[in-house]
Amino acid sequence: MSKIRMKDHVVVLSGKDKGRRGAIVKVLDDDTVVVEGVNMVKKHQKPRNSAAGPQPGGIVEREAPLPVSKVAIWNPASKKGDRVGYKRLADGRKVRVFKSNGEQIDA
């Protein structure tokens, strides 16, 4: 069970996008995450003709991966980034909780 998952809302803790919020688009194997609208980079792309359809060339903007240590999950109750812990429920399920107030993240 991962502390940060896809579709979690996170806040960036450091770097050029510090304080920006967004949803996790992709979690990569090497402890990096792609956050929607954060850490935008310009990529020079060649035009391609493929079976899926022609892809135009040019300079496109896309999100680059961030280390997972540079993001914190957004706690709507405290309006801040928060750390994540785990707790076992009475029925034996393991759920994620916010460290600051113990509130359950998973439904």
Side-chain angles (χ1 to χ4, degrees):
M1 181 181 277
S2 174
K3 291 191 176 190
I4 302 278
R5 295 185 194 161
M6 278 187 55
K7 298 182 183 167
D8 280 346
H9 289 280
V10 295
V11 61
V12 179
L13 299 175
S14 64
K16 66 178 183 178
D17 291 318
K18 180 178 179 176
R20 300 221 19 218
R21 293 187 305 176
I24 299 286
V25 177
K26 188 187 279 187
V27 178
L28 302 170
D29 290 337
D30 57 346
D31 288 335
T32 56
V33 293
V34 178
V35 183
E36 178 183 22
V38 175
N39 199 23
M40 299 298 285
V41 295
K42 292 184 188 295
K43 178 174 172 40
H44 296 261
Q45 189 168 307
K46 282 181 127 179
R48 300 193 189 283
N49 287 324
S50 65
Q55 183 179 6
I59 301 172
V60 295
E61 274 202 59
R62 58 180 229 159
E63 296 104 352
L66 279 171
V68 75
S69 61
K70 290 195 177 237
V71 297
I73 195 159
W74 180 254
N75 187 344
S78 65
K79 306 258 191 282
K80 289 190 216 173
D82 208 343
R83 293 178 299 152
V84 178
Y86 297 106
K87 186 165 117 181
R88 286 233 179 246
L89 298 179
D91 61 356
R93 288 188 303 141
K94 185 177 174 183
V95 294
R96 297 181 303 159
V97 294
F98 291 118
K99 283 277 194 172
S100 63
N101 57 4
E103 210 173 283
Q104 188 173 327
I105 298 171
D106 305 322

XYZ file of all heavy atoms in Angstrom:
818
model
N 0.848 -1.181 0.000
C 0.000 0.000 0.000
C 0.890 1.241 0.000
O 1.754 1.392 0.838
C -0.905 -0.026 1.234
C -1.838 1.149 1.313
S -2.887 1.123 2.766
C -4.169 0.061 2.237
N 0.668 2.099 -0.965
C 1.489 3.291 -1.127
C 0.870 4.479 -0.380
O -0.344 4.584 -0.269
C 1.593 3.612 -2.613
O 2.263 4.808 -2.803
N 1.725 5.357 0.126
C 1.225 6.527 0.849
C 0.580 7.528 -0.088
O -0.379 8.183 0.268
C 2.358 7.176 1.629
C 2.819 6.313 2.782
C 3.728 7.054 3.701
C 4.068 6.169 4.887
N 4.744 6.889 5.927
N 1.114 7.675 -1.289
C 0.560 8.582 -2.289
C 0.069 7.732 -3.458
O 0.812 6.905 -3.981
C 1.628 9.580 -2.783
C 2.203 10.384 -1.632
C 1.067 10.483 -3.853
C 1.407 11.557 -1.189
N -1.180 7.952 -3.868
C -1.771 7.158 -4.947
C -2.302 8.065 -6.044
O -2.421 9.272 -5.855
C -2.949 6.344 -4.413
C -2.573 5.307 -3.410
C -3.794 4.514 -3.054
N -3.568 3.715 -1.873
C -4.538 3.213 -1.148
N -5.789 3.445 -1.460
N -4.258 2.479 -0.093
N -2.663 7.458 -7.163
C -3.263 8.217 -8.255
C -4.556 8.881 -7.790
O -5.270 8.351 -6.939
C -3.563 7.306 -9.440
C -2.350 7.068 -10.298
S -2.708 6.174 -11.806
C -3.980 7.143 -12.551
N -4.811 10.057 -8.330
C -6.001 10.875 -8.066
C -6.004 11.516 -6.682
O -6.964 12.180 -6.324
C -7.284 10.090 -8.298
C -7.427 9.631 -9.739
C -8.713 8.903 -9.973
C -8.760 8.410 -11.402
N -9.813 7.462 -11.625
N -4.940 11.328 -5.875
C -4.813 12.065 -4.608
C -4.499 13.520 -4.933
O -3.775 13.803 -5.883
C -3.665 11.503 -3.757
C -4.043 10.249 -3.003
O -5.235 9.939 -2.904
O -3.120 9.572 -2.507
N -5.030 14.433 -4.145
C -4.695 15.845 -4.298
C -3.501 16.137 -3.411
O -3.514 15.812 -2.229
C -5.886 16.734 -3.932
C -6.975 16.649 -4.940
N -6.936 17.338 -6.118
C -8.106 15.914 -4.980
C -8.014 17.051 -6.834
N -8.742 16.173 -6.155
N -2.470 16.743 -4.007
C -1.225 16.991 -3.291
C -0.821 18.451 -3.433
O -1.310 19.173 -4.307
C -0.081 16.082 -3.805
C -0.362 14.627 -3.517
C 0.177 16.299 -5.275
N 0.095 18.879 -2.555
C 0.686 20.208 -2.617
C 2.197 20.024 -2.731
O 2.767 19.123 -2.124
C 0.284 21.052 -1.382
C 0.751 20.422 -0.101
C 0.801 22.470 -1.488
N 2.851 20.885 -3.551
C 4.294 20.802 -3.749
C 4.986 21.522 -2.598
O 4.636 22.648 -2.252
C 4.693 21.411 -5.113
C 6.190 21.349 -5.320
C 3.967 20.702 -6.239
N 5.991 20.877 -1.999
C 6.659 21.410 -0.819
C 7.867 22.279 -1.134
O 8.196 23.169 -0.352
C 7.108 20.253 0.083
C 5.998 19.363 0.619
C 6.592 18.208 1.386
C 5.053 20.157 1.483
N 8.559 22.026 -2.245
C 9.760 22.808 -2.544
C 9.975 22.882 -4.041
O 9.394 22.122 -4.810
C 10.980 22.184 -1.871
O 11.226 20.912 -2.406
N 10.831 23.826 -4.456
C 11.152 23.980 -5.864
C 10.412 25.143 -6.480
O 9.782 25.952 -5.793
N 10.471 25.227 -7.809
C 9.890 26.368 -8.510
C 8.361 26.415 -8.402
O 7.770 27.480 -8.538
C 10.304 26.364 -9.980
C 9.751 25.205 -10.778
C 10.131 25.267 -12.227
C 9.475 24.111 -12.969
N 9.754 24.121 -14.374
N 7.734 25.281 -8.148
C 6.275 25.219 -8.046
C 5.793 25.088 -6.605
O 4.684 24.601 -6.359
C 5.738 24.047 -8.863
C 5.911 24.268 -10.350
O 5.666 25.399 -10.801
O 6.296 23.324 -11.063
N 6.585 25.530 -5.644
C 6.229 25.406 -4.225
C 4.864 26.044 -3.949
O 4.587 27.154 -4.383
C 7.291 26.099 -3.374
C 7.025 26.031 -1.896
C 8.131 26.683 -1.119
C 7.832 26.626 0.367
N 8.927 27.177 1.149
N 4.005 25.290 -3.247
C 2.683 25.785 -2.897
C 1.597 25.458 -3.902
O 0.414 25.605 -3.601
N 1.962 25.011 -5.101
C 0.953 24.682 -6.109
C 0.322 23.338 -5.784
O 0.959 22.449 -5.241
C 1.589 24.623 -7.501
C 2.207 25.947 -7.844
C 2.060 26.478 -9.219
N 1.035 25.979 -10.058
C 1.219 25.782 -11.357
N 2.392 25.994 -11.906
N 0.225 25.374 -12.106
N -0.968 23.231 -6.114
C -1.697 21.996 -5.844
C -2.154 21.362 -7.141
O -2.356 22.038 -8.136
C -2.918 22.287 -4.982
C -2.581 22.729 -3.600
C -3.798 22.838 -2.743
N -4.788 23.719 -3.351
C -5.993 23.945 -2.858
N -6.357 23.354 -1.760
N -6.836 24.750 -3.449
N -2.352 20.053 -7.093
C -2.852 19.323 -8.245
C -3.101 17.878 -7.882
O -2.767 17.426 -6.791
N -3.691 17.162 -8.817
C -3.982 15.745 -8.609
C -2.859 14.906 -9.210
O -2.243 15.295 -10.199
C -5.312 15.372 -9.261
N -2.602 13.759 -8.619
C -1.585 12.842 -9.124
C -2.128 12.197 -10.403
O -3.215 11.618 -10.409
C -1.256 11.745 -8.087
C -0.708 12.349 -6.806
C -0.309 10.720 -8.669
C 0.693 12.847 -6.888
N -1.365 12.329 -11.491
C -1.753 11.749 -12.772
C -1.164 10.352 -12.929
O -1.801 9.444 -13.440
C -1.280 12.646 -13.937
C -1.597 12.031 -15.270
C -1.900 14.023 -13.817
N 0.102 10.189 -12.466
C 0.788 8.922 -12.637
C 1.792 8.744 -11.502
O 2.444 9.696 -11.099
C 1.525 8.923 -13.973
C 2.131 7.613 -14.373
C 2.973 7.749 -15.618
C 2.126 7.735 -16.862
N 2.938 7.702 -18.096
N 1.881 7.520 -10.979
C 2.896 7.174 -9.987
C 3.883 6.247 -10.684
O 3.503 5.184 -11.177
C 2.274 6.478 -8.757
C 3.341 6.091 -7.761
C 1.229 7.363 -8.102
N 5.153 6.665 -10.731
C 6.174 5.875 -11.426
C 6.919 4.986 -10.445
O 6.897 5.214 -9.231
C 7.144 6.812 -12.142
C 6.464 7.753 -13.147
C 7.444 8.803 -13.629
C 5.912 6.972 -14.310
N 7.611 3.973 -10.962
C 8.293 2.979 -10.135
C 9.434 3.542 -9.301
O 9.710 3.066 -8.219
C 8.853 1.857 -11.019
C 7.760 0.988 -11.595
O 6.663 0.967 -11.002
O 8.000 0.350 -12.633
N 10.116 4.552 -9.807
C 11.322 5.043 -9.144
C 11.025 6.144 -8.125
O 11.778 7.101 -8.012
C 12.336 5.512 -10.183
C 11.773 6.583 -11.110
O 10.546 6.767 -11.125
O 12.561 7.225 -11.818
N 9.937 6.024 -7.389
C 9.542 6.980 -6.345
C 9.379 8.395 -6.876
O 9.795 9.367 -6.252
C 10.534 6.968 -5.176
C 10.409 5.713 -4.348
O 9.315 5.109 -4.356
O 11.387 5.321 -3.699
N 8.795 8.508 -8.057
C 8.455 9.812 -8.601
C 6.988 9.821 -8.985
O 6.389 8.766 -9.231
C 9.315 10.160 -9.836
O 9.163 9.134 -10.805
C 10.771 10.336 -9.478
N 6.406 11.014 -9.002
C 5.001 11.170 -9.358
C 4.861 12.285 -10.383
O 5.686 13.195 -10.441
C 4.126 11.495 -8.122
C 4.063 10.332 -7.175
C 4.601 12.737 -7.412
N 3.816 12.209 -11.192
C 3.482 13.264 -12.145
C 2.226 13.934 -11.609
O 1.208 13.273 -11.384
C 3.247 12.685 -13.554
C 2.849 13.785 -14.514
C 4.486 11.971 -14.045
N 2.324 15.249 -11.371
C 1.208 16.015 -10.807
C 0.618 16.895 -11.905
O 1.353 17.540 -12.661
C 1.682 16.886 -9.621
C 0.510 17.627 -9.003
C 2.370 16.034 -8.579
N -0.707 16.925 -11.981
C -1.427 17.657 -13.006
C -1.119 19.161 -12.936
O -1.327 19.797 -11.910
C -2.924 17.419 -12.788
C -3.848 18.122 -13.716
C -5.295 17.857 -13.353
O -5.593 17.494 -12.211
O -6.127 18.048 -14.241
N -0.574 19.712 -14.027
C -0.317 21.143 -14.126
C 0.872 21.654 -13.333
O 1.045 22.861 -13.190
N 1.713 20.767 -12.821
C 2.867 21.167 -12.001
C 4.144 20.646 -12.661
O 4.141 19.589 -13.276
C 2.735 20.605 -10.569
C 3.958 20.898 -9.741
C 1.504 21.171 -9.906
N 5.248 21.391 -12.528
C 6.552 21.031 -13.081
C 6.471 20.883 -14.595
O 6.913 19.901 -15.172
C 7.087 19.752 -12.427
C 8.575 19.584 -12.606
O 9.289 20.552 -12.819
N 9.049 18.356 -12.522
N 5.898 21.902 -15.238
C 5.728 21.888 -16.686
C 7.072 22.137 -17.373
O 7.833 23.006 -16.966
C 4.731 22.957 -17.120
C 3.339 22.781 -16.537
S 2.548 21.259 -17.016
C 2.106 21.614 -18.680
N 7.361 21.331 -18.398
C 8.569 21.479 -19.194
C 8.174 21.527 -20.662
O 7.113 21.044 -21.049
C 9.570 20.329 -18.958
C 10.091 20.350 -17.545
C 8.961 18.988 -19.278
N 9.037 22.128 -21.467
C 8.799 22.177 -22.906
C 9.558 21.028 -23.566
O 10.730 20.807 -23.273
C 9.271 23.506 -23.473
C 8.436 24.673 -23.006
C 8.890 25.938 -23.678
C 8.224 27.160 -23.110
N 6.823 27.238 -23.313
N 8.859 20.295 -24.430
C 9.468 19.164 -25.124
C 9.388 19.434 -26.620
O 8.331 19.760 -27.147
C 8.709 17.883 -24.781
C 9.236 16.653 -25.495
C 8.531 15.415 -24.987
C 8.831 14.170 -25.757
N 10.168 13.962 -26.199
N 10.535 19.313 -27.296
C 10.584 19.478 -28.744
C 10.235 18.131 -29.361
O 10.911 17.137 -29.137
C 11.974 19.933 -29.179
C 12.320 21.279 -28.647
N 12.203 22.423 -29.389
C 12.738 21.680 -27.428
C 12.556 23.466 -28.657
N 12.884 23.034 -27.451
N 9.144 18.116 -30.137
C 8.599 16.856 -30.628
C 8.600 16.825 -32.151
O 8.178 17.790 -32.794
C 7.177 16.732 -30.089
C 6.527 15.418 -30.317
C 5.251 15.335 -29.492
O 5.256 15.546 -28.298
N 4.173 15.043 -30.163
N 9.057 15.707 -32.706
C 9.055 15.542 -34.159
C 7.657 15.144 -34.633
O 6.947 14.432 -33.932
C 10.015 14.430 -34.552
C 11.458 14.819 -34.555
C 12.277 13.628 -34.975
C 13.168 14.011 -36.115
N 14.011 12.894 -36.551
N 7.270 15.567 -35.823
C 5.983 15.104 -36.351
C 6.054 13.620 -36.702
O 7.097 13.127 -37.141
C 5.784 15.954 -37.599
C 7.108 16.514 -37.927
C 7.924 16.517 -36.692
N 4.975 12.889 -36.471
C 4.940 11.454 -36.743
C 3.616 11.085 -37.417
O 2.571 11.647 -37.105
C 5.049 10.653 -35.451
C 6.314 10.906 -34.678
C 6.489 9.846 -33.600
N 7.567 10.154 -32.695
C 8.852 9.990 -32.964
N 9.223 9.553 -34.134
N 9.772 10.279 -32.069
N 3.685 10.102 -38.272
C 2.493 9.516 -38.873
C 2.412 8.093 -38.375
O 3.252 7.256 -38.699
C 2.567 9.529 -40.402
C 2.364 10.923 -40.945
O 1.581 11.677 -40.398
N 3.074 11.266 -42.006
N 1.422 7.800 -37.558
C 1.288 6.456 -37.018
C -0.109 5.934 -37.300
O -0.958 6.637 -37.838
C 1.544 6.469 -35.508
O 0.565 7.216 -34.851
N -0.346 4.688 -36.909
C -1.660 4.074 -37.108
C -2.728 4.794 -36.297
O -3.899 4.822 -36.659
C -1.603 2.606 -36.730
N -2.337 5.383 -35.181
C -3.298 6.094 -34.324
C -3.684 7.440 -34.925
O -4.634 8.074 -34.475
C -2.707 6.287 -32.939
N -2.931 7.891 -35.914
C -3.225 9.171 -36.553
C -1.988 10.043 -36.556
O -1.042 9.810 -35.813
N -1.996 11.055 -37.405
C -0.815 11.920 -37.468
C -0.662 12.752 -36.195
O -1.643 13.197 -35.610
C -1.091 12.810 -38.679
C -2.556 12.771 -38.858
C -3.036 11.448 -38.334
N 0.588 12.903 -35.777
C 0.891 13.684 -34.589
C 1.728 14.880 -35.038
O 2.803 14.699 -35.613
C 1.669 12.829 -33.591
C 1.984 13.505 -32.304
C 2.725 12.576 -31.364
O 3.099 11.463 -31.724
N 2.955 13.033 -30.172
N 1.242 16.096 -34.820
C 1.991 17.260 -35.302
C 3.270 17.471 -34.485
O 3.358 17.081 -33.330
C 1.016 18.412 -35.095
C 0.121 17.967 -34.010
C 0.017 16.469 -34.145
N 4.243 18.097 -35.132
C 5.485 18.406 -34.443
C 5.404 19.780 -33.813
O 4.419 20.486 -33.935
N 6.474 20.157 -33.117
C 6.536 21.475 -32.498
C 6.970 21.368 -31.056
O 7.448 20.328 -30.593
N 6.805 22.458 -30.348
C 7.180 22.509 -28.942
C 5.909 22.318 -28.118
O 4.983 23.112 -28.209
C 7.854 23.845 -28.605
C 9.095 24.041 -29.473
C 8.232 23.889 -27.135
C 9.721 25.405 -29.369
N 5.866 21.248 -27.347
C 4.685 20.957 -26.527
C 5.063 21.071 -25.047
O 6.203 20.791 -24.670
C 4.101 19.558 -26.828
C 3.569 19.487 -28.236
C 5.125 18.473 -26.605
N 4.112 21.493 -24.245
C 4.333 21.562 -22.795
C 3.703 20.344 -22.151
O 2.586 19.970 -22.487
C 3.705 22.835 -22.218
C 4.615 24.020 -22.310
C 4.260 25.086 -21.306
O 4.281 24.786 -20.095
O 3.961 26.192 -21.741
N 4.432 19.736 -21.227
C 3.912 18.569 -20.516
C 4.468 18.543 -19.104
O 5.419 19.251 -18.785
C 4.252 17.286 -21.253
C 5.725 17.078 -21.457
C 6.020 15.817 -22.191
N 7.048 15.113 -21.448
C 7.304 13.850 -21.534
N 6.605 13.102 -22.323
N 8.258 13.301 -20.824
N 3.854 17.714 -18.257
C 4.299 17.606 -16.870
C 5.493 16.668 -16.785
O 5.499 15.613 -17.399
C 3.184 17.048 -15.974
C 1.970 17.931 -15.871
C 0.807 17.431 -16.699
O 0.969 16.481 -17.477
O -0.274 18.023 -16.567
N 6.485 17.065 -16.002
C 7.642 16.217 -15.749
C 7.477 15.594 -14.360
O 6.799 16.152 -13.496
C 8.925 17.031 -15.817
N 8.099 14.442 -14.130
C 7.975 13.793 -12.818
C 8.658 14.588 -11.705
O 9.636 15.289 -11.931
C 8.672 12.453 -13.007
C 8.840 12.272 -14.458
C 8.828 13.611 -15.083
N 8.105 14.466 -10.510
C 8.659 15.056 -9.290
C 8.983 13.933 -8.311
O 8.247 12.942 -8.270
C 7.610 15.930 -8.596
C 7.356 17.336 -9.061
C 6.122 17.875 -8.358
C 8.537 18.203 -8.762
N 10.013 14.077 -7.494
C 10.227 13.078 -6.441
C 9.050 13.089 -5.463
O 8.503 14.153 -5.151
C 11.502 13.543 -5.746
C 12.156 14.465 -6.699
C 11.064 15.071 -7.527
N 8.647 11.938 -5.001
C 7.492 11.835 -4.108
C 7.766 12.558 -2.783
O 6.827 13.001 -2.105
C 7.085 10.353 -3.912
C 8.042 9.644 -2.999
C 5.668 10.235 -3.406
N 9.041 12.744 -2.429
C 9.385 13.442 -1.195
C 9.105 14.943 -1.282
O 9.063 15.620 -0.260
C 10.852 13.221 -0.854
O 11.671 13.731 -1.885
N 8.903 15.471 -2.482
C 8.637 16.902 -2.649
C 7.154 17.239 -2.655
O 6.780 18.393 -2.846
C 9.270 17.408 -3.941
C 10.761 17.441 -3.886
C 11.315 18.256 -5.009
C 12.799 18.348 -4.890
N 13.247 19.710 -4.834
N 6.288 16.241 -2.465
C 4.848 16.503 -2.409
C 4.273 15.961 -1.104
O 4.801 15.019 -0.521
C 4.091 15.885 -3.610
C 4.528 16.493 -4.917
C 4.219 14.398 -3.649
N 3.217 16.609 -0.648
C 2.494 16.150 0.540
C 1.017 16.098 0.191
O 0.518 16.936 -0.571
C 2.725 17.099 1.711
N 0.321 15.138 0.742
C -1.107 14.998 0.467
C -1.856 16.176 1.079
O -1.500 16.663 2.155
C -1.625 13.632 0.970
C -2.979 13.327 0.362
C -1.654 13.568 2.469
C -3.329 11.867 0.384
N -2.860 16.696 0.361
C -3.614 17.870 0.786
C -4.690 17.464 1.776
O -5.503 16.583 1.508
C -4.237 18.549 -0.423
C -5.037 19.751 -0.103
C -6.392 19.861 -0.113
C -4.543 21.030 0.286
N -6.754 21.120 0.233
C -5.648 21.865 0.487
C -3.272 21.556 0.493
C -5.513 23.193 0.881
C -3.149 22.865 0.878
C -4.262 23.671 1.071
N -4.675 18.099 2.951
C -5.681 17.848 3.977
C -6.709 18.974 3.907
O -6.415 20.104 4.276
C -5.015 17.800 5.357
C -5.967 17.372 6.455
O -7.180 17.381 6.278
N -5.412 16.995 7.581
N -7.932 18.701 3.432
C -8.927 19.770 3.294
C -9.396 20.335 4.637
O -9.837 21.477 4.709
C -10.083 19.105 2.546
C -9.838 17.650 2.587
C -8.417 17.419 2.933
N -9.291 19.563 5.705
C -9.730 20.040 7.018
C -8.804 21.131 7.543
O -9.258 22.162 8.037
C -9.797 18.885 8.006
N -7.489 20.924 7.421
C -6.531 21.903 7.939
C -6.044 22.866 6.865
O -5.315 23.802 7.166
C -5.336 21.182 8.560
O -4.632 20.476 7.563
N -6.427 22.628 5.599
C -6.010 23.456 4.467
C -4.487 23.527 4.333
O -3.922 24.567 4.021
C -6.586 24.872 4.577
C -8.083 24.936 4.741
C -8.732 25.293 3.438
C -10.191 25.621 3.581
N -11.044 24.499 3.704
N -3.816 22.388 4.570
C -2.360 22.298 4.467
C -1.976 20.928 3.929
O -2.788 20.008 3.916
C -1.711 22.430 5.853
C -1.753 23.766 6.472
C -0.852 23.729 7.685
C -1.412 24.571 8.792
N -0.640 24.427 10.025
N -0.694 20.803 3.569
C -0.158 19.501 3.217
C 0.039 18.702 4.494
O 0.328 19.263 5.549
N -0.119 17.395 4.418
C -0.046 16.562 5.616
C 0.716 15.278 5.319
O 0.856 14.874 4.165
C -1.460 16.217 6.086
C -1.546 15.969 7.575
O -0.500 15.743 8.203
O -2.667 15.987 8.102
N 1.197 14.644 6.378
C 1.840 13.346 6.245
C 0.788 12.254 6.334
O -0.320 12.484 6.808
C 2.889 13.170 7.338
C 4.048 14.140 7.166
C 5.054 13.994 8.253
N 4.445 14.273 9.552
C 4.863 13.743 10.695
N 5.850 12.905 10.728
N 4.260 14.050 11.824
N 1.155 11.064 5.899
C 0.217 9.946 5.845
C 0.693 8.837 6.765
O 1.873 8.510 6.813
C 0.104 9.402 4.403
C -0.828 8.201 4.353
C -0.388 10.477 3.472
N -0.240 8.270 7.525
C 0.038 7.115 8.362
C -0.963 6.021 8.043
O -1.838 6.185 7.202
N -0.826 4.900 8.728
C -1.724 3.770 8.518
C -2.407 3.396 9.821
O -1.869 3.611 10.905
C -0.955 2.550 8.004
C -0.325 2.777 6.658
C 1.036 2.971 6.536
C -1.098 2.802 5.518
C 1.619 3.177 5.305
C -0.525 3.007 4.279
C 0.827 3.190 4.187
O 1.397 3.396 2.964
N -3.604 2.824 9.681
C -4.351 2.379 10.845
C -5.146 1.142 10.437
O -5.618 1.051 9.306
C -5.293 3.508 11.267
C -6.048 3.272 12.551
C -6.635 4.591 13.021
C -8.137 4.538 13.044
N -8.746 5.781 13.465
N -5.272 0.204 11.346
C -6.095 -0.985 11.091
C -7.481 -0.756 11.673
O -7.620 -0.323 12.819
C -5.478 -2.214 11.750
C -4.281 -2.697 11.034
C -4.414 -4.173 10.720
N -3.232 -4.606 9.998
C -3.285 -5.000 8.743
N -4.419 -5.047 8.104
N -2.182 -5.373 8.129
N -8.496 -1.054 10.892
C -9.876 -0.934 11.361
C -10.288 -2.206 12.092
O -9.572 -3.210 12.077
C -10.810 -0.680 10.178
C -10.564 0.609 9.399
C -11.541 0.704 8.243
C -10.685 1.825 10.296
N -11.451 -2.157 12.720
C -11.949 -3.296 13.488
C -12.160 -4.531 12.606
O -11.972 -5.658 13.057
C -13.251 -2.928 14.180
N -12.533 -4.300 11.336
C -12.760 -5.441 10.447
C -11.469 -5.954 9.808
O -11.501 -6.840 8.964
C -13.787 -5.087 9.367
C -13.336 -3.941 8.481
O -12.270 -3.359 8.747
O -14.067 -3.635 7.514
N -10.308 -5.403 10.196
C -9.018 -5.893 9.724
C -8.453 -5.160 8.530
O -7.339 -5.436 8.104
N -9.211 -4.203 7.963
C -8.701 -3.446 6.810
C -7.644 -2.451 7.253
O -7.711 -1.904 8.344
C -9.833 -2.691 6.116
C -10.777 -3.579 5.345
C -11.750 -2.775 4.519
N -12.513 -1.844 5.356
C -12.837 -0.614 4.981
N -12.474 -0.148 3.804
N -13.541 0.166 5.790
N -6.678 -2.219 6.380
C -5.621 -1.237 6.632
C -5.953 -0.002 5.798
O -6.123 -0.095 4.581
C -4.285 -1.832 6.192
C -3.086 -1.003 6.494
C -1.851 -1.788 6.063
C -0.604 -0.972 6.201
N 0.570 -1.695 5.716
N -6.082 1.152 6.450
C -6.452 2.380 5.745
C -5.420 3.474 6.002
O -4.711 3.459 7.001
C -7.856 2.885 6.164
C -8.926 1.931 5.723
C -7.923 3.139 7.643
N -5.368 4.445 5.081
C -4.484 5.592 5.249
C -5.192 6.658 6.079
O -6.396 6.864 5.937
C -4.117 6.183 3.892
C -3.343 5.236 3.012
C -2.972 5.857 1.690
N -4.140 6.331 0.967
C -4.104 7.250 -0.001
N -2.985 7.786 -0.373
N -5.214 7.617 -0.618
N -4.438 7.326 6.942
C -4.991 8.397 7.773
C -4.031 9.589 7.741
O -2.836 9.442 7.499
C -5.213 7.954 9.239
C -6.282 6.890 9.337
C -3.935 7.470 9.870
N -4.591 10.798 7.972
C -3.761 11.984 8.108
C -3.075 11.942 9.468
O -3.691 11.635 10.471
C -4.603 13.255 8.015
C -5.168 13.514 6.645
C -6.535 13.541 6.444
C -4.332 13.749 5.575
C -7.060 13.800 5.186
C -4.851 13.998 4.310
C -6.213 14.024 4.119
N -1.782 12.278 9.520
C -1.034 12.252 10.768
C -1.492 13.347 11.729
O -1.465 13.170 12.939
C 0.459 12.439 10.493
C 1.134 11.208 9.962
C 1.507 10.294 11.084
C 2.477 9.243 10.601
N 3.006 8.458 11.670
N -1.916 14.509 11.202
C -2.229 15.641 12.075
C -3.510 15.436 12.884
O -3.550 15.759 14.062
C -2.345 16.924 11.262
O -3.412 16.832 10.347
N -4.555 14.904 12.246
C -5.817 14.774 12.963
C -6.367 13.340 13.016
O -7.423 13.108 13.583
C -6.876 15.716 12.369
C -7.116 15.482 10.894
O -6.552 14.576 10.316
N -7.926 16.317 10.306
N -5.668 12.380 12.409
C -6.103 10.990 12.448
C -7.305 10.665 11.597
O -7.844 9.571 11.656
N -7.736 11.620 10.776
C -8.897 11.430 9.924
C -8.559 10.448 8.795
O -7.448 10.449 8.261
C -9.266 12.784 9.303
C -10.719 12.955 9.001
C -10.975 14.383 8.549
O -11.014 15.280 9.401
O -11.125 14.559 7.327
N -9.527 9.640 8.417
C -9.325 8.606 7.419
C -9.318 9.210 6.010
O -10.167 10.038 5.674
C -10.442 7.574 7.531
C -10.253 6.356 6.695
C -11.314 5.315 6.984
O -11.776 5.215 8.113
N -11.688 4.566 5.984
N -8.352 8.822 5.180
C -8.267 9.317 3.802
C -9.111 8.441 2.889
O -9.888 8.930 2.094
C -6.802 9.307 3.314
C -5.949 10.230 4.169
C -6.730 9.710 1.852
C -4.472 10.126 3.890
N -8.963 7.122 3.004
C -9.676 6.193 2.147
C -11.105 6.002 2.628
O -11.379 6.018 3.815
C -8.976 4.833 2.146
C -7.515 4.965 1.764
O -7.216 5.774 0.886
O -6.681 4.254 2.372
N -11.978 5.787 1.681
C -13.400 5.582 2.042
C -13.676 4.138 2.388
O -12.965 3.252 2.120
C -14.288 6.005 0.893
